[in-house]
Amino acid sequence: MTAGGPAHDRWPGVLRRRRVVALVLSVGLPAVLVVLAGHRGQHMARSLLIPGAGLYDEHLVVGVALTLAAVAATIAWLRWGLDSILLAVVGLAIVVSGLMPPTVHAVAFPAIEQSAHEFPLVILVVGALAWLRSALRRVPIVGRLAARRSTRRLDGLDDLMALPPLDRCRAVSVLTLPLAGAAPAEVDPRLPAAVGAADVERRARRIGLLARGRRGGDPFRVDHAAARTARLGVGALTTDQVAQLRADAVRAWAGVPASEPTWVRLFDAVVAAIALDPIDPEPARRVGELLHSHLGLRRGHRPAWIWTPLAVAAGRADDWEHTAATALARAAGWIGDDDWSALRRRAFGAAARGTVFAGDERTVAAARIWTALVDDPEAARILARPTVAHDPLAVALDTLATRLRASAPVANQEVAS
């Protein structure tokens, strides 16, 4: 059976069935709780929609505590794939709401309706906090403090180990990509040590334990696309591990292993597919399809991730991630130049702000990959002005841009010094 054969063809039917089950549970379970459990069921239903909401009337402190725990668990789920913790918090909230119901009786279905109105409010609050965090980084004084804390004036690849494990693996993957059109780069002796460090394995093992209860064995099995791609690039995988990586990619709906359990991130998916292409072209084909469907360009942006159980794409990729992922996909021949039209002005903004922020430095470096692929002399001149020398991932992207220009120069690469 080929990689794109029956094993992959079954996914549309599987996803349809999962979506039907999810819809039935989300609509039917609150009603079942209300009908079967009466007054207690009303408050359990509210806590199903918003953990802790069923306790707001008379046990406000307990209800708010459960809601805050659910928010923290949601953040852990979105960041590390720890869905088991979120499910545990939701289950606890439902049980506690059933054991400690308010004494004030309410009509059954208006209680569900009230929770349905409260849920968007929680989402808006979480979104507002994320926006506020981003906005504060643009305030001059706060921005300088955040930049100092986040970059610590890193010195490029010499400070590769200062990056968190995930970004460190991403930097190593970029430096070792077997990208068509770019001359192969020699493996820097610092790279195997960077991905073989104890904190990379420790992160994978903790996520596997907390999210899936995995104990012992290979900590990178099934998921962890960034770490496995980096280890593949530096030749740190055994023959059996390479075969397992390919098998996991073939079995996965997206064509590549998840970044964390259930989450496929835009940048990680593109990098993993390119890295696997010499072994099996099927991941590249399937990720290329995703870039035109679930991860497609919408109103100038691309989704940040896909939740694989229901194949739901959401979020908005950071500018650097959008720029880097699409530049690599363009170099691989999977997409056209539409993304560059959407990203060009944002890349200029990052270049104007300089390279104080790691995100801006990465955006500039990734945009230089684009200028190695498109005929845009003005953009090439503007983006050549900032010095990319601090954030190791930005330096890795800039190094790849240099490789691409050297291997496949285009007319716009004669930039002003």
Side-chain angles (χ1 to χ4, degrees):
M1 163 175 90
T2 62
H8 185 241
D9 294 341
R10 68 183 174 84
W11 275 110
V14 171
L15 292 174
R16 279 194 298 270
R17 288 192 293 273
R18 288 180 179 178
R19 288 167 179 166
V20 169
V21 171
L23 180 62
V24 170
L25 289 176
S26 61
V27 174
L29 188 54
V32 169
L33 288 172
V34 170
V35 172
L36 296 183
H39 178 57
R40 292 176 181 270
Q42 297 174 28
H43 302 287
M44 294 171 71
R46 291 181 64 187
S47 286
L48 174 64
L49 296 171
I50 306 176
L55 299 167
Y56 286 171
D57 294 335
E58 290 192 359
H59 303 283
L60 182 61
V61 173
V62 178
V64 170
L66 286 169
T67 301
L68 292 177
V71 171
T74 300
I75 293 172
W77 172 49
L78 293 173
R79 187 167 182 179
W80 299 296
L82 305 184
D83 50 359
S84 55
I85 294 179
L86 178 59
L87 290 173
V89 172
V90 173
L92 177 64
I94 294 172
V95 171
V96 173
S97 296
L99 295 176
M100 300 174 59
T103 58
V104 178
H105 289 260
V107 180
F109 292 101
I112 297 178
E113 182 180 357
Q114 178 183 350
S115 293
H117 287 291
E118 291 169 350
F119 182 68
L121 179 61
V122 174
I123 298 300
L124 287 175
V125 170
V126 174
L129 291 174
W131 174 85
L132 181 62
R133 178 176 178 270
S134 176
L136 283 175
R137 291 176 65 88
R138 299 303 176 194
V139 177
I141 296 177
V142 177
R144 290 193 194 99
L145 292 175
R148 242 183 236 114
R149 182 183 175 192
S150 62
T151 64
R152 299 181 185 277
R153 304 311 294 171
L154 300 180
D155 191 18
L157 296 182
D158 289 336
D159 280 336
L160 183 60
M161 292 298 296
L163 283 181
L166 180 59
D167 281 344
R168 192 190 316 154
C169 289
R170 288 169 168 169
V172 171
S173 296
V174 170
L175 288 168
T176 57
L177 276 184
L179 194 61
E186 294 183 4
V187 175
D188 188 307
R190 294 171 292 188
L191 304 189
V195 298
D199 58 346
V200 176
E201 179 177 335
R202 186 164 56 246
R203 178 183 185 274
R205 197 173 293 282
R206 285 175 177 173
I207 289 175
L209 176 63
L210 293 174
R212 291 293 177 269
R214 296 170 184 154
R215 295 176 178 273
D218 182 4
F220 301 103
R221 61 188 182 277
V222 184
D223 307 305
H224 310 290
R228 298 170 80 183
T229 301
R231 289 161 62 84
L232 175 67
V234 299
L237 296 182
T238 65
T239 302
D240 289 343
Q241 288 173 328
V242 172
Q244 186 60 53
L245 175 58
R246 178 185 176 276
D248 289 340
V250 168
R251 283 194 297 266
W253 165 79
V256 290
S259 301
E260 291 88 26
T262 74
W263 295 114
V264 170
R265 316 284 180 183
L266 172 63
F267 181 79
D268 295 338
V270 171
V271 171
I274 294 174
L276 284 166
D277 194 37
I279 301 171
D280 190 334
E282 183 62 17
R285 185 186 70 80
R286 282 157 65 178
V287 171
E289 291 177 352
L290 287 179
L291 293 174
H292 293 279
S293 56
H294 293 74
L295 293 174
L297 184 66
R298 300 160 192 159
R299 294 185 293 278
H301 298 277
R302 287 185 183 265
W305 40 258
I306 299 175
W307 187 50
T308 55
L310 297 181
V312 175
R316 193 175 84 173
D318 292 338
D319 285 346
W320 80 262
E321 185 176 358
H322 182 177
T323 308
T326 55
L328 295 175
R330 170 64 172 79
W334 303 342
I335 61 173
D337 297 338
D338 290 346
D339 284 272
W340 179 238
S341 300
L343 292 166
R344 189 173 184 268
R345 189 177 297 274
R346 281 177 252 166
F348 288 173
R353 289 188 295 269
T355 56
V356 174
F357 293 101
D360 287 337
E361 191 172 21
R362 293 175 186 181
T363 300
V364 170
R368 289 178 180 176
I369 299 177
W370 268 108
T371 59
L373 304 169
V374 298
D375 185 12
D376 193 339
E378 179 187 11
R381 284 193 297 270
I382 293 173
L383 293 168
R385 293 170 187 167
T387 300
V388 175
H390 300 297
D391 178 71
L393 179 50
V395 172
L397 292 166
D398 193 46
T399 300
L400 180 57
T402 301
R403 288 171 53 200
L404 283 167
R405 282 195 297 269
S407 299
V410 294
N412 66 316
Q413 295 314 307
E414 295 181 0
V415 299
S417 60

